[in-house]
Amino acid sequence: MVVTVHRDLFGTGRLVRAAELTLGSAACLPVAQGTVENIVLKCASLRACGRGTRPLMTGSWILSSPQVTPDALVYSMSLNYNPGPTGNPVIIRTSPAVVPVECHYPRRGNVSSNGVKPTWTPFRSTLSSEEKMTFSLRLMNDDWSTERETALFQLGEVLRFQAGVSAENHAPLRLFVDNCVATPTPERSYSPQYAFIDFSGCLVDGQLDDATSAFISPRPRQDVLQFAVDAFRFAGDSSNLIYITCLLKVSLADQAPDSLNKACSFNKVSNLWAPVEGTQDVCSCCEMRSCGLARHSRKLHIPSRGQRGRGRVRRELPSQLGPLVKEADVVVGPLFIHSWQDHSVRRMPPQDTDHLWMVFVLPAIVSLLILILAVLGALTVC
C-alpha cells in the first residue's frame, strides 16, 4: 500500500510534517516527501501495517486483513496524525487525528496468459462454459429466415445450409466449414461419396459447369456461416437418400483468415476463388487442391441422424493453428432428393403395386366383362 498525503491535510493552511504521520498500528513511517505539497507513506504489503486504531460503527476494529463484499475485497487501515509540541507548551493549535484508508480490489475478473479480453464475462462463468461449445448445421428456407421443415427436395432446387456455434462467455469466435461430404448412408466411409466442400473451406462444387454453389457473403454474424449447394443425388441409387457430414471449426474472431481457416467460393465470371473475408491469397490453395493438412480423411463422430445436426467438440487442434481452435463433426440427414420420374408407378414398393391392382385394375376387368355380357345379351334378343 502506498498512500500520498497532501501536506495541507485538513485544508486549514497549516502544513503537516512527515514525522507527524504514520500508517497503521505498526506505525509505518513516511518513505519520501514527493513534492513540497505531498508526503508519501508506504507499506511493504497490505498486511504489513498491522491493526488499525479506529473503531468501526459496529464496534469492531479496522484490520489489515480483507473484508469481503459481494463485489470487492477491502483492505482497511488508518492514517495516524500525531502533531508534535509547539513552541509554547501552554497552548495547542492542533489535535491528533485518525483518517481511514481503504484499498478496494474487484472480486471478479479474468486472468490469462493470453491477456484479458474486455468482452469476456466474469471468470466464474467462463470456466463453467468453456467446454460447452455447441455446433449446429441446419437446413434453411429460401429466404434464410427460418429452418426448413421438410427434408424433401427436387433436382433443380437449392440446399441452403446454416452452420453455427454457440459458445457463451468466450471471446468472439469465427466459424468455418472445413469440409462437407455427402454419402447415401450416415457412415462417412461408405462409397460412393461426394466431397462438395474440401481443402479446409473450398466449396469445390461451385466449379462444376452445372452448379451455382457458393458461400453466402457477408456473414450474418461471425459465429454463423451460410452456404448454398445445388441439389444432387447419387447416380444409380434407387433410394435417392443422401446424408451430409460436415466438419465445423472455430478460431478467434480477431485471428486473420489463412489457408486452414477460410471460406472460399469459385466465381465463374472472374474464374477466380473469392473469400468471404480475408485477402484473396488465402484461397490460392483451392486452385492447387492443396491447403495444408488433409483433414477430411479422418474418421468422424456421428452425433445424430435427424434432420437438424448438432455436434460436440472433439479435440483441441495443435497450438500452431491458434490459441483457441476447436472442431466438431455434424450430420444432417436423411435428405430425399427426387425427380419427376420418381412419381411413376414402377417406383412404388411391391405392396403398394398389389394394392393398386386390387383397387383399380380388378374392378376395371369386372366392368369390362359385364359390358361384354350385356352386348351379347342384346345381340341374342335381336
Side-chain angles (χ1 to χ4, degrees), residues 164-301:
V165 61
S166 174
E168 296 181 359
N169 303 319
H170 272 285
L173 300 174
R174 181 181 293 133
L175 177 73
F176 295 99
V177 180
D178 189 271
N179 60 78
C180 285
V181 175
T183 52
T185 72
E187 300 297 331
R188 177 170 182 167
S189 58
Y190 193 89
S191 182
Q193 57 180 253
Y194 175 56
F196 55 90
I197 297 179
D198 210 342
F199 309 110
S200 299
C202 304
L203 211 166
V204 294
D205 185 70
Q207 281 190 295
L208 301 181
D209 294 336
D210 57 350
T212 60
S213 304
F215 287 106
I216 305 303
S217 181
R219 299 171 181 256
R221 298 193 312 271
Q222 289 295 318
D223 56 357
V224 172
L225 183 60
Q226 298 170 332
F227 57 97
V229 178
D230 296 280
F232 61 89
R233 67 183 188 183
F234 290 100
D237 180 21
S238 59
S239 69
N240 296 332
L241 298 179
I242 63 171
Y243 291 80
I244 306 297
T245 303
C246 292
L247 175 60
L248 310 183
K249 63 183 181 181
V250 293
S251 67
L252 292 174
D254 58 4
Q255 177 181 335
D258 53 36
S259 61
L260 294 178
N261 300 280
K262 63 185 183 300
C264 296
S265 305
F266 186 74
N267 189 323
K268 287 187 173 69
V269 177
S270 62
N271 200 35
L272 296 172
W273 288 91
V276 173
E277 60 263 308
T279 58
Q280 188 90 23
D281 59 342
V282 301
C283 296
S284 59
C285 63
C286 295
E287 190 65 32
M288 297 182 293
R289 294 294 194 269
S290 177
C291 295
L293 300 177
R295 301 163 59 186
H296 64 278
S297 62
R298 296 182 305 214
K299 184 177 180 180
L300 296 180
H301 165 75

Side-chain angles (χ1 to χ4, degrees), residues 90-114:
V90 179
I91 61 172
I92 59 172
R93 299 187 186 274
T94 57
S95 61
V98 177
V99 181
V101 178
E102 292 184 347
C103 286
H104 291 247
Y105 291 88
R107 288 184 60 193
R108 301 168 183 169
N110 294 297
V111 179
S112 170
S113 59
N114 294 326

Side-chain angles (χ1 to χ4, degrees), residues 2-65:
V2 177
V3 179
T4 302
V5 180
H6 197 280
R7 292 192 65 193
D8 188 2
L9 180 60
F10 303 101
T12 59
R14 183 186 182 280
L15 303 183
V16 300
R17 296 175 294 177
E20 298 173 333
L21 298 175
T22 59
L23 192 59
S25 61
C28 297
L29 298 174
V31 295
Q33 183 165 326
T35 63
V36 177
E37 295 84 8
N38 296 326
I39 299 173
V40 178
L41 297 93
K42 181 179 180 180
C43 280
S45 71
L46 288 171
R47 299 178 184 273
C49 296
R51 191 186 189 109
T53 58
R54 185 181 67 88
L56 293 174
M57 293 180 65
T58 58
S60 61
W61 292 89
I62 299 177
L63 302 176
S64 57
S65 57

Side-chain angles (χ1 to χ4, degrees), residues 109-125:
N110 294 297
V111 179
S112 170
S113 59
N114 294 326
V116 177
K117 301 291 183 180
T119 55
W120 283 40
T121 56
F123 183 65
R124 65 187 187 281
S125 56

